[in-house]
Amino acid sequence: MSRIEIKSGGAIVRTLRVPGDKSISHRALMFAALADGDSVISGLQQGLDVGATRGCIEALGVSTETQGDELIVHGVGVGGLSEPGDLLDCMNSGTTMRLLSGILAGHGFLSVLTGDRHLRIRPMARILDPLREMGALALGRDEDRFAPLILRGGTLRGLTWKMNVASAQVKSAVLLAGLHARGTTWVEEPKATRDHTERMLSSMGVEVLKEGECRIGVTGGSRLSPAEMTVPGDPSSAAFWAAAALLVPGSRVTIKNVSLNPTRTGFFRLIERMGGAVELTTTGEAMGEPVGDITVEYSQLTGIEVGEDEVPSAIDEFPVFGALASMAKGETVITGAEELRHKESDRIDTLAGELRKAGVVMETFADGMKISGGAKLSPARFESHGDHRLAMALGVLGLAIEGGCEVAGAEAADVSYPGFWKELLS
Ligand code: S3P
């Protein structure tokens, strides 16, 4: 278990790039695997989660080749995967397990998916239920609630699935199963979530149906054309640098070439509302995604209220947002965010437990938290709880604590941002 020491320090004035977007990288690999021919992916994120997806698609009979900075994926077409000889190890990655389950439900062979101890306690009934409804055998541990999962499917039937949680992973799993189903499959989301699946499938030639913001459909039998894919930088990784700039006086950070998909940039809207100097500049497009630069300058922040409508587009940024709120003037209240309890850790309890170690005064609720900002924080020995985003959020907070902090379990960052600590400490 690695321990990192962070010291409070001087202004951060930098222009940098962050690793490729994690959500897009997973999809690039999976959709390339389903395409009719060879796709070329550049900018693929090199973290452990995306590595898990690559390992799984290879175990399902898809060959990949690294050529310089690019990865060639020899697609086998929708329905063309082959039975794996062993368990599919999704490691820490919910996206791998949930999206892949949607694809595997469309195949007649047996697959067993497992993951690390964190993933094996994350809710899976939300994907198994619709897949079963579509005709697949879909089982899980503890009355079909958790991994390991067992899937054996085949030709599925299209359906309309009304989701009771706002989850892009569930939406994507059902749509991917829908590609293997007879007729049209619709999903209805309670709130619009990240739409990479829709954008990327469209850019590969699939007709994605949309009625309003939250009803999305695909028709079975659609084929995916191979593509040249360029993965933009991850706005969720950029958020740590934005926070570093906001916390250290005199700082100004520009993060280049990031996905500026509005379903992902909620965090930047929130910090702007707190008084942060933030500028998003779109410079182009990649794989149907707007791409551009983010510049953030040190600013004095004021607490705000965050309601459920604002949660999905900032869902992965609440650890770092909470860290910022603890340094803002006044109270920040987050509600409608119960989903935070089902991430890589229970991010309501783990964040509160860790921030309190530094003297932050906060309350937690079933669906959120209240953070009283502005207290002078004391040096702390933080713990990552095996959660990459919690580890990085706490490390960044250390920049603003006189006397700094330690983060135990810092290696968790490798899940989405290998090299983060080296870059932060350089
Ligand atoms: C993701 C969706 C979100 C997000 C996760 C990645 C995706 O999860 O938290 O990090 O790639 O679709 P939920 O679908 O569970 O909200």
Side-chain angles (χ1 to χ4, degrees), residues 133-188:
E133 204 66 27
M134 294 175 84
L137 174 74
L139 305 171
R141 183 175 64 79
D142 196 2
E143 298 184 354
D144 303 332
R145 290 164 60 212
F146 302 110
L149 310 181
I150 293 179
L151 293 161
R152 174 176 266 151
T155 304
L156 306 172
R157 12 173 215 280
L159 88 175
T160 296
W161 187 253
K162 216 171 152 49
M163 292 160 46
N164 50 19
V165 281
S167 160
Q169 294 179 354
V170 175
K171 167 176 67 177
S172 303
V174 176
L175 291 175
L176 291 168
L179 292 175
H180 302 79
R182 278 189 300 271
T184 299
T185 297
W186 291 95
V187 282
E188 293 177 7

Coordinates of all heavy atoms in Angstrom, one line a residue, residues 133-188:
E133 N -35.4 -9.6 -18.3 CA -36.6 -9.3 -18.9 C -36.5 -9.4 -20.5 O -37.5 -9.7 -21.1 CB -36.9 -7.8 -18.5 CG -38.3 -7.3 -18.6 CD -39.2 -7.9 -17.6 OE1 -38.8 -8.4 -16.5 OE2 -40.4 -8.0 -17.9
M134 N -35.3 -9.2 -21.0 CA -35.1 -9.3 -22.4 C -34.9 -10.7 -22.9 O -34.8 -11.0 -24.1 CB -33.9 -8.4 -22.8 CG -34.1 -6.9 -22.7 SD -32.7 -5.9 -23.0 CE -32.8 -5.8 -24.8
G135 N -34.8 -11.6 -21.9 CA -34.7 -13.1 -22.3 C -33.4 -13.8 -21.9 O -33.3 -14.9 -22.2
A136 N -32.5 -13.0 -21.3 CA -31.2 -13.7 -21.0 C -31.3 -14.4 -19.6 O -32.1 -13.9 -18.7 CB -30.1 -12.6 -20.9
L137 N -30.5 -15.4 -19.4 CA -30.2 -15.9 -18.1 C -29.2 -15.0 -17.4 O -28.1 -14.8 -18.0 CB -29.7 -17.3 -18.2 CG -29.3 -18.0 -16.8 CD1 -30.5 -18.4 -16.0 CD2 -28.4 -19.2 -17.0
A138 N -29.6 -14.3 -16.3 CA -28.8 -13.3 -15.7 C -28.8 -13.5 -14.2 O -29.8 -13.1 -13.6 CB -29.2 -11.9 -16.2
L139 N -27.8 -14.0 -13.7 CA -27.8 -14.3 -12.2 C -26.6 -13.6 -11.5 O -25.6 -13.3 -12.1 CB -27.6 -15.9 -12.0 CG -28.6 -16.8 -12.8 CD1 -28.1 -18.2 -12.6 CD2 -30.0 -16.6 -12.2
G140 N -26.8 -13.4 -10.2 CA -25.8 -12.9 -9.4 C -25.8 -13.4 -8.0 O -26.8 -14.0 -7.6
R141 N -24.7 -13.1 -7.3 CA -24.6 -13.5 -5.9 C -25.7 -12.8 -5.0 O -26.1 -11.7 -5.4 CB -23.2 -13.2 -5.4 CG -22.9 -13.5 -4.0 CD -21.4 -13.2 -3.8 NE -21.1 -11.8 -3.9 CZ -21.4 -10.9 -2.9 NH1 -21.9 -11.3 -1.7 NH2 -21.1 -9.6 -3.0
D142 N -26.1 -13.4 -3.9 CA -27.0 -12.8 -3.0 C -28.3 -12.4 -3.7 O -28.7 -11.2 -3.7 CB -26.3 -11.6 -2.3 CG -27.1 -11.2 -1.0 OD1 -28.1 -11.8 -0.7 OD2 -26.7 -10.2 -0.4
E143 N -29.0 -13.4 -4.2 CA -30.3 -13.1 -4.9 C -30.2 -12.1 -6.0 O -31.0 -11.2 -6.1 CB -31.4 -12.7 -3.8 CG -31.6 -13.7 -2.8 CD -32.7 -13.4 -1.8 OE1 -33.2 -12.3 -1.8 OE2 -33.0 -14.3 -1.0
D144 N -29.2 -12.4 -6.8 CA -29.0 -11.6 -8.0 C -28.7 -10.1 -7.8 O -29.1 -9.3 -8.6 CB -30.2 -11.7 -9.0 CG -30.5 -13.2 -9.3 OD1 -29.6 -14.0 -9.3 OD2 -31.7 -13.5 -9.5
R145 N -28.1 -9.8 -6.7 CA -27.8 -8.4 -6.4 C -26.3 -8.0 -6.7 O -26.1 -6.9 -6.9 CB -28.2 -8.1 -4.9 CG -29.7 -8.1 -4.7 CD -30.1 -8.2 -3.3 NE -29.6 -7.1 -2.6 CZ -29.2 -7.2 -1.3 NH1 -29.3 -8.3 -0.6 NH2 -28.8 -6.1 -0.6
F146 N -25.4 -9.0 -6.6 CA -24.0 -8.6 -6.6 C -23.2 -9.6 -7.5 O -23.7 -10.7 -7.7 CB -23.4 -8.6 -5.2 CG -24.1 -7.7 -4.3 CD1 -24.9 -8.2 -3.2 CD2 -24.0 -6.3 -4.4 CE1 -25.5 -7.4 -2.3 CE2 -24.6 -5.5 -3.5 CZ -25.4 -6.0 -2.5
A147 N -22.0 -9.1 -7.9 CA -21.1 -10.0 -8.6 C -20.5 -11.0 -7.7 O -20.4 -10.7 -6.5 CB -20.0 -9.2 -9.3
P148 N -20.0 -12.1 -8.1 CA -19.9 -12.6 -9.5 C -21.3 -12.7 -10.2 O -22.3 -13.1 -9.5 CB -19.3 -13.9 -9.4 CG -18.6 -14.0 -8.1 CD -19.4 -13.1 -7.2
L149 N -21.3 -12.4 -11.5 CA -22.5 -12.6 -12.3 C -22.3 -13.7 -13.3 O -21.2 -14.0 -13.8 CB -22.7 -11.3 -13.1 CG -22.7 -9.9 -12.4 CD1 -22.9 -8.8 -13.4 CD2 -23.7 -9.9 -11.3
I150 N -23.5 -14.3 -13.6 CA -23.5 -15.4 -14.6 C -24.5 -14.9 -15.7 O -25.6 -14.5 -15.4 CB -24.0 -16.7 -14.0 CG1 -23.0 -17.2 -13.0 CG2 -24.3 -17.8 -15.1 CD1 -23.3 -18.5 -12.3
L151 N -24.0 -15.0 -17.0 CA -24.9 -14.6 -18.1 C -24.8 -15.7 -19.1 O -23.8 -16.3 -19.4 CB -24.4 -13.3 -18.7 CG -24.5 -12.1 -17.8 CD1 -23.6 -11.0 -18.3 CD2 -26.0 -11.6 -17.8
R152 N -26.0 -16.0 -19.6 CA -26.1 -16.8 -20.8 C -27.3 -16.3 -21.6 O -28.4 -16.4 -21.1 CB -26.3 -18.3 -20.5 CG -26.5 -19.1 -21.8 CD -26.5 -20.6 -21.5 NE -25.2 -21.2 -21.7 CZ -24.8 -22.3 -21.0 NH1 -25.6 -22.9 -20.1 NH2 -23.6 -22.8 -21.3
G153 N -27.1 -15.8 -22.8 CA -28.2 -15.1 -23.4 C -28.5 -15.7 -24.8 O -28.5 -16.9 -25.0
G154 N -28.6 -14.9 -25.8 CA -28.9 -15.3 -27.1 C -29.6 -14.2 -27.8 O -29.4 -13.0 -27.5
T155 N -30.6 -14.5 -28.7 CA -31.3 -13.5 -29.3 C -32.4 -13.0 -28.3 O -33.1 -13.8 -27.7 CB -32.0 -14.0 -30.6 OG1 -31.0 -14.5 -31.4 CG2 -32.8 -12.8 -31.3
L156 N -32.3 -11.7 -28.0 CA -33.2 -11.1 -27.0 C -34.4 -10.5 -27.6 O -34.5 -10.4 -28.8 CB -32.4 -10.1 -26.2 CG -31.0 -10.5 -25.7 CD1 -30.2 -9.4 -25.1 CD2 -31.2 -11.6 -24.6
R157 N -35.4 -10.1 -26.7 CA -36.5 -9.4 -27.2 C -36.4 -7.9 -26.8 O -36.0 -7.6 -25.7 CB -37.9 -9.9 -26.7 CG -37.9 -10.9 -25.6 CD -39.3 -11.2 -25.1 NE -39.2 -11.5 -23.7 CZ -38.7 -12.6 -23.2 NH1 -38.4 -13.6 -23.9 NH2 -38.6 -12.7 -21.9
G158 N -36.7 -7.1 -27.7 CA -36.7 -5.6 -27.4 C -37.7 -5.3 -26.3 O -38.7 -6.0 -26.2
L159 N -37.5 -4.3 -25.6 CA -38.4 -3.9 -24.5 C -38.3 -2.4 -24.3 O -37.4 -1.7 -24.8 CB -38.2 -4.7 -23.3 CG -37.3 -4.2 -22.2 CD1 -37.3 -5.1 -21.0 CD2 -35.9 -4.1 -22.7
T160 N -39.2 -1.9 -23.5 CA -39.0 -0.5 -23.0 C -38.7 -0.6 -21.5 O -39.4 -1.2 -20.7 CB -40.3 0.3 -23.1 OG1 -40.6 0.4 -24.5 CG2 -40.2 1.7 -22.5
W161 N -37.5 -0.1 -21.1 CA -37.1 -0.3 -19.8 C -37.1 1.1 -19.1 O -36.4 2.0 -19.5 CB -35.7 -0.9 -19.7 CG -35.3 -1.2 -18.3 CD1 -34.4 -0.5 -17.5 CD2 -35.8 -2.2 -17.4 NE1 -34.3 -1.0 -16.3 CE2 -35.2 -2.1 -16.2 CE3 -36.8 -3.2 -17.6 CZ2 -35.5 -2.9 -15.1 CZ3 -37.1 -4.1 -16.6 CH2 -36.4 -3.9 -15.3
K162 N -37.9 1.2 -18.0 CA -38.0 2.5 -17.3 C -37.0 2.3 -16.1 O -37.1 1.5 -15.2 CB -39.4 2.6 -16.7 CG -39.9 4.0 -16.7 CD -41.4 3.9 -16.4 CE -41.9 5.1 -15.7 NZ -41.6 6.4 -16.2
M163 N -35.9 3.1 -16.2 CA -34.9 3.0 -15.2 C -35.3 3.8 -13.9 O -35.9 4.8 -14.0 CB -33.6 3.7 -15.7 CG -33.0 2.9 -16.8 SD -31.8 3.9 -17.8 CE -30.8 4.7 -16.6
N164 N -35.0 3.2 -12.7 CA -35.4 3.9 -11.5 C -34.2 4.7 -10.9 O -34.3 5.4 -10.0 CB -36.1 3.1 -10.5 CG -35.5 1.8 -10.2 OD1 -34.3 1.7 -10.5 ND2 -36.2 0.9 -9.7
V165 N -33.0 4.5 -11.5 CA -31.8 5.3 -11.1 C -31.3 6.0 -12.4 O -31.4 5.4 -13.4 CB -30.7 4.5 -10.5 CG1 -30.9 4.1 -9.0 CG2 -30.3 3.2 -11.3
A166 N -30.8 7.2 -12.2 CA -30.1 7.9 -13.3 C -28.7 7.3 -13.5 O -27.8 7.6 -12.7 CB -30.1 9.4 -13.0
S167 N -28.6 6.4 -14.4 CA -27.3 5.7 -14.5 C -27.0 5.5 -16.0 O -27.7 4.7 -16.7 CB -27.3 4.4 -13.8 OG -26.2 3.5 -14.3
A168 N -25.8 6.1 -16.4 CA -25.4 5.9 -17.8 C -25.0 4.4 -18.1 O -25.1 3.9 -19.2 CB -24.3 6.8 -18.2
Q169 N -24.5 3.8 -17.0 CA -24.1 2.4 -17.2 C -25.3 1.5 -17.5 O -25.2 0.6 -18.3 CB -23.3 1.9 -16.0 CG -22.0 2.7 -15.8 CD -21.2 2.3 -14.6 OE1 -21.6 1.5 -13.8 NE2 -20.0 2.8 -14.5
V170 N -26.4 1.7 -16.7 CA -27.6 0.9 -16.9 C -28.2 1.2 -18.3 O -28.5 0.3 -19.1 CB -28.6 1.2 -15.8 CG1 -29.9 0.4 -16.1 CG2 -28.1 0.8 -14.5
K171 N -28.3 2.5 -18.7 CA -28.8 2.9 -20.0 C -27.9 2.2 -21.1 O -28.5 1.6 -22.0 CB -28.7 4.4 -20.1 CG -28.9 4.9 -21.5 CD -28.9 6.4 -21.6 CE -27.5 7.1 -21.3 NZ -27.5 8.5 -21.4
S172 N -26.6 2.2 -20.9 CA -25.8 1.7 -22.0 C -25.9 0.2 -22.0 O -25.9 -0.4 -23.1 CB -24.3 2.0 -21.7 OG -24.2 3.4 -21.6
A173 N -26.0 -0.5 -20.9 CA -26.1 -2.0 -20.9 C -27.4 -2.4 -21.6 O -27.3 -3.3 -22.4 CB -26.1 -2.5 -19.4
V174 N -28.5 -1.7 -21.4 CA -29.7 -2.1 -22.0 C -29.7 -1.8 -23.5 O -30.1 -2.6 -24.4 CB -30.9 -1.4 -21.3 CG1 -32.2 -1.7 -22.1 CG2 -31.0 -1.8 -19.9
L175 N -29.1 -0.6 -23.9 CA -29.0 -0.3 -25.3 C -28.1 -1.3 -26.1 O -28.4 -1.7 -27.2 CB -28.5 1.1 -25.5 CG -29.4 2.2 -25.1 CD1 -28.8 3.6 -25.2 CD2 -30.7 2.2 -25.9
L176 N -27.0 -1.7 -25.4 CA -26.1 -2.6 -26.0 C -26.8 -4.0 -26.2 O -26.6 -4.7 -27.2 CB -24.8 -2.8 -25.3 CG -23.9 -1.5 -25.3 CD1 -22.8 -1.5 -24.3 CD2 -23.3 -1.3 -26.7
A177 N -27.5 -4.4 -25.2 CA -28.3 -5.6 -25.3 C -29.3 -5.5 -26.5 O -29.5 -6.4 -27.2 CB -29.0 -6.0 -24.0
G178 N -29.8 -4.3 -26.6 CA -30.8 -4.0 -27.6 C -30.3 -4.2 -29.0 O -31.0 -4.5 -29.9
L179 N -29.0 -4.0 -29.2 CA -28.4 -4.2 -30.5 C -28.5 -5.7 -30.9 O -28.5 -6.0 -32.1 CB -26.9 -3.9 -30.5 CG -26.5 -2.4 -30.4 CD1 -25.0 -2.3 -30.2 CD2 -27.0 -1.6 -31.6
H180 N -28.6 -6.6 -29.9 CA -28.7 -8.0 -30.1 C -30.1 -8.5 -30.0 O -30.4 -9.7 -30.0 CB -27.9 -8.8 -29.1 CG -26.4 -8.4 -29.0 ND1 -26.0 -7.2 -28.4 CD2 -25.3 -9.0 -29.5 CE1 -24.7 -7.2 -28.5 NE2 -24.2 -8.2 -29.2
A181 N -31.1 -7.6 -30.0 CA -32.5 -8.0 -29.7 C -33.4 -7.9 -31.0 O -33.0 -7.2 -31.9 CB -33.1 -7.1 -28.6
R182 N -34.5 -8.6 -30.9 CA -35.5 -8.4 -32.0 C -36.3 -7.2 -31.7 O -36.7 -6.9 -30.6 CB -36.5 -9.6 -32.0 CG -35.9 -10.9 -32.7 CD -37.0 -11.9 -32.9 NE -37.6 -12.3 -31.6 CZ -37.1 -13.3 -30.9 NH1 -36.1 -14.1 -31.4 NH2 -37.6 -13.6 -29.7
G183 N -36.5 -6.3 -32.7 CA -37.3 -5.1 -32.6 C -36.5 -4.0 -31.9 O -35.2 -4.0 -31.8
T184 N -37.2 -3.0 -31.4 CA -36.6 -1.8 -30.9 C -36.6 -1.9 -29.3 O -37.5 -2.3 -28.7 CB -37.3 -0.6 -31.4 OG1 -37.2 -0.5 -32.8 CG2 -36.7 0.7 -30.8
T185 N -35.5 -1.5 -28.7 CA -35.3 -1.5 -27.3 C -35.2 0.0 -26.9 O -34.4 0.8 -27.4 CB -34.1 -2.2 -26.8 OG1 -34.2 -3.6 -27.2 CG2 -33.8 -2.1 -25.3
W186 N -36.1 0.4 -25.9 CA -36.1 1.8 -25.4 C -35.7 1.8 -24.0 O -36.0 0.9 -23.2 CB -37.5 2.4 -25.5 CG -38.0 2.6 -26.9 CD1 -38.7 1.8 -27.6 CD2 -37.7 3.8 -27.7 NE1 -39.0 2.4 -28.9 CE2 -38.4 3.6 -28.9 CE3 -37.0 5.0 -27.5 CZ2 -38.3 4.5 -29.9 CZ3 -37.0 5.9 -28.5 CH2 -37.6 5.7 -29.7
V187 N -34.9 2.8 -23.6 CA -34.7 3.1 -22.2 C -35.2 4.5 -21.8 O -35.1 5.4 -22.6 CB -33.2 3.0 -21.7 CG1 -32.7 1.6 -21.6 CG2 -32.3 3.8 -22.7
E188 N -35.8 4.5 -20.6 CA -36.3 5.9 -20.2 C -35.5 6.2 -18.9 O -35.6 5.4 -17.9 CB -37.8 5.8 -19.9 CG -38.6 5.6 -21.2 CD -40.1 5.5 -21.0 OE1 -40.5 5.7 -19.8 OE2 -40.8 5.2 -22.0

